[in-house]
Amino acid sequence: YLEDQDYWQMSGIQRDVTLFAKPRVHLRDFAIRTRFTDRQYRDAILEVTAFCSRCEAANGWTVSLELFDDRDRPVLDTPLRDDLNGVSTAYSGNKPDSFCATFTTTIKAPHHWNAETPVLYTAVLALRDPAGAVVDAESARVGFRQVEIRDGLLLLNGRRLVIRGVNQHEHNSRTGRVLSDEWMRRELVAMKRLNLNAVRTSHYPHDTRWYDLCDELGIYVTDEANLETHQLWGALSRSPEWAGAYLQRAVRMVLRDRNRPCVLTWLLGNESSCGANHAAMAAWIRAFDGTRPVQYESGHPGPEVSDILAPMYPDLGWVRDTLADPAEKRPLVMCEYAYGKGNSGGDFFKFWDLVCSLPRFQGGFMWDWADKALEQTLADGRTAYRYGESEGEGPHVARMCLNGIVFADLALKPAAYEMWKCQAPVRIEAISPDDTRAGRFRIHNLFLESTLEHLDLLWEVHADGDPVQAGRMRLPAVAPCDGLTSANRMVAAALGGFAVERQAPLLTVPFVLDTVRPGAEYTLNLRCVLTHDTPWAPTGHCVAWEQFRLPVGVPALPPPVRNATRPERPVALGDDAFGGIFDPATAMLTSLRVVGRETLVRGFHECFFRAPTDIDEAQGGAATYASRWRAAGLDALTRTVDAVAVSALGDRGLRIVSDTTCSVNGQPLVRTRTRYAFEDGALFVAAAFNLAESLPFLPRIGLEGVFDAALVNAEWFGRGPFENYSDRKHAAALGRYAAPVADLAVPYVYPAENGARQDVRWLALTRADGTGLRFRAVQPLFQFSALHQSWRDLADAKYIDELPRRPEVYLHIDAAQSGLGGDTGWSQNIHPEYKVQPGLYLFTFLIEPLTPATL
């Protein structure tokens, strides 16, 4: 009833169970608190309470406290001692009610604990009998930090805290919910490298070893009670009979984890609506702990339950309106957002642009960390991932366990790079075109307390993707700002003595562009990298980067054409060096030869469909994007050739113009005019698509061709190196990249559209010896995907291991493709500006031969 988490239901003992013995009189519990004494957060008060078991008399029993720094050096001149005569606030019985020792001492200028510098001290408690002998001892790591809410802002050590968080389930594809120390450390290291600084323990307190590692590596934790009613929703939350059970979940969590520096907030559970039982939990936590905020989302709780406004999957318009409401004074931290199901992650940048412009919008926890697939051995001995459908779950519900920003083995999905980039703690902004050309930028330090002295700037100037200048420089000593970079920074009252940065300092990059290559496209790439090893990344790890275009060059237009005639037989193009055959019956190329070697299997034809992604299919039903596309017939178009004309082009060239119609049940939906112009050893391709206004928005508009299996290598000048789409390309820098065609696909467990690259200037597909084809954009830029499966293969498979591995290369060159969406995993949420609407689309490109001599 109270543990109906929306997750794999696994039975058995999943954590260590330990029996241990202590002396009859012993330390039964202790509480450690730290708070700062001044508005500069320099000196701190250390408060420690030691609770002891009962004995016949407290007289003569003492407890001592020692404190050691991160190098095991004593901080206190002498250990502190106290008799067991304090009044216990937690474990009092009838008589006696003392058996409690308390310590309060000032620590001068301790190192702050935070995610950037997780400096840990060690407190040691020793219980001594009346003879002075130590009979019991306990120790704990101490982090000097203070969490508070003031003036509507969530603050850590007096500074606006930005949560770059992720939801995390305890899961391993081989061992289920039993996790090793090594695996947990691997997870946290991977998180830190992606600029994550926080974890929500969805939806239960995690293994104690997890908190040890979060303390050590520097990860903020929102600790969540093991409470989710889900299907019953709020029935139990409002029931007095269940009040004790609810409260027990809060008590257990707080007693176990209250001494953890990493735990910044308490969370009252998940998806249980809201009732008086949650209010009881919140009140008990505030009275017992009082050092951390309490938060909860379900049922829209007010401030009597939740100190933080913690919505799930909010619309950004709602965020703006809510934070502008004078009746709502709480900070806003999303408990879940950016659902990472399958190939999604679109629009992530929008959240972080808003975090950097609204002070009380302080980040959130994306859903979620890793795919929760299970590894299975197949009959042929191969291993494969399974997501639940074979275990009896429905196909759409079961795939909801495949919603990680990383794969089950922690390999990065392309969306992880977008998260890494968009929530980076350093931002570099252009000022004006003239300043960009002169190398002048604004730099924003969005760290909590760190300056930028731990980072170097690596800069490179590229011409058409090739580096032509490079250098390394120390970043200026920029103090951390308030995490706001927008010009409309609205600062709510004073930030506890923290000076808000009004104007970001200048950064000057010393490149020189005295001469430029005619027609070349220039970019400036800036990378902020670590200057030294850390426990989570080596020297040189990239923390943040930006790219700026330096405009030069205009591509040439194709030559004019003249004198068209209608061909009756296949038309030969070119010569032995580069030539082909066009079939007027199908209005497609049937051959493209380079130095006499065939490269083509089937020529280009129109394509307006893609293998649906999880967002395209959402939860199923007639209203999904994929259902509407199929209902419109985009996956089953009938193509007819209306007209073909051939004309001379210059003295030796040839132009072919074809008109085709794509129909469903005899109803024309798309009319296409395609021009092939062959001259000077290159093939010019131009396509004009006129799509009926009755169509829904389309997944893609472009051409598909199937090419010879021998074209095993790809190289391109465009965005990369990883997969990117129109609403998820901020992390994909413009550059020149190369990879085997076999590596261009992304191994999503549930097959779907994948492998696209945006804003491509040219693409080369070549054999091992360098012979092949180059596809060069003319107007506008195109996007491509080159895979060893067709979109039908991807659409028909339920698991990646069911995909056929075809030798030929299925190449899509698209004028446009719709974005991915990803606000949630169950709704249609591609944003309007990334939907490809019907209408008129034009795009052109050149096909050029490549030989080892031309590379």
Side-chain angles (χ1 to χ4, degrees), residues 370-428:
D371 279 355
K372 295 170 290 297
L374 292 176
E375 194 172 297
Q376 186 178 92
T377 301
L378 305 179
D380 60 5
R382 292 182 300 156
T383 58
Y385 289 124
R386 290 294 179 260
Y387 50 75
E389 186 174 4
S390 57
E391 286 74 27
E393 300 283 355
H396 299 293
V397 174
R399 292 207 308 272
M400 292 185 77
C401 70
L402 302 177
N403 44 27
I405 197 73
V406 299
F407 289 105
D409 63 356
L410 305 185
L412 301 189
K413 291 183 180 179
Y417 294 95
E418 190 82 348
M419 179 180 71
W420 185 357
K421 170 71 168 66
C422 293
Q423 61 184 23
V426 180
R427 285 197 172 191
I428 301 172

Side-chain angles (χ1 to χ4, degrees), residues 560-751:
V561 296
R562 59 178 184 263
N563 302 330
T565 60
R566 175 70 184 255
E568 297 181 356
R569 282 179 274 188
V571 179
L573 306 169
D575 52 29
D576 290 340
F578 180 46
I581 297 175
F582 177 85
D583 183 4
T586 61
M588 289 193 296
L589 295 167
T590 60
S591 174
L592 270 179
R593 300 180 310 278
V594 178
V595 291
R597 302 167 75 181
E598 186 60 68
T599 64
L600 187 67
V601 176
R602 288 191 300 277
F604 284 113
H605 60 84
E606 304 89 326
C607 186
F608 308 104
F609 198 74
R610 71 183 182 194
T613 68
D614 280 286
I615 304 301
D616 294 341
E617 292 187 329
Q619 292 293 81
T624 66
Y625 297 146
S627 295
R628 282 182 270 169
W629 294 336
R630 290 188 176 104
L634 295 178
D635 63 332
L637 294 171
T638 299
R639 181 178 182 270
T640 58
V641 179
D642 302 323
V644 176
V646 178
S647 59
L649 181 63
D651 296 330
R652 302 172 54 190
L654 199 65
R655 184 185 78 161
I656 303 170
V657 179
S658 65
D659 292 332
T660 57
T661 300
C662 291
S663 308
V664 172
N665 298 323
Q667 178 185 0
L669 294 178
V670 186
R671 298 190 186 278
T672 304
R673 170 162 289 184
T674 307
R675 291 184 296 149
Y676 293 95
F678 198 95
E679 188 177 46
D680 296 329
L683 179 60
F684 174 79
V685 183
F689 306 97
N690 194 349
L691 297 103
E693 295 296 329
S694 61
L695 287 169
F697 87 91
L698 295 97
R700 69 166 10 120
I701 296 174
L703 299 175
E704 179 186 22
V706 184
F707 287 82
D708 189 80
L711 301 180
V712 294
N713 294 318
E715 186 175 0
W716 71 98
F717 179 32
R719 292 194 180 270
F722 40 81
E723 164 197 274
N724 51 89
Y725 289 81
S726 59
D727 59 355
R728 199 193 71 207
K729 63 180 183 179
H730 285 68
L734 177 65
R736 182 169 175 169
Y737 304 102
V741 171
D743 292 347
L744 298 180
V746 180
Y748 297 107
V749 177
Y750 175 73

Side-chain angles (χ1 to χ4, degrees), residues 62 221 229 582 714:
T62 61
V221 173
T229 63
F582 177 85

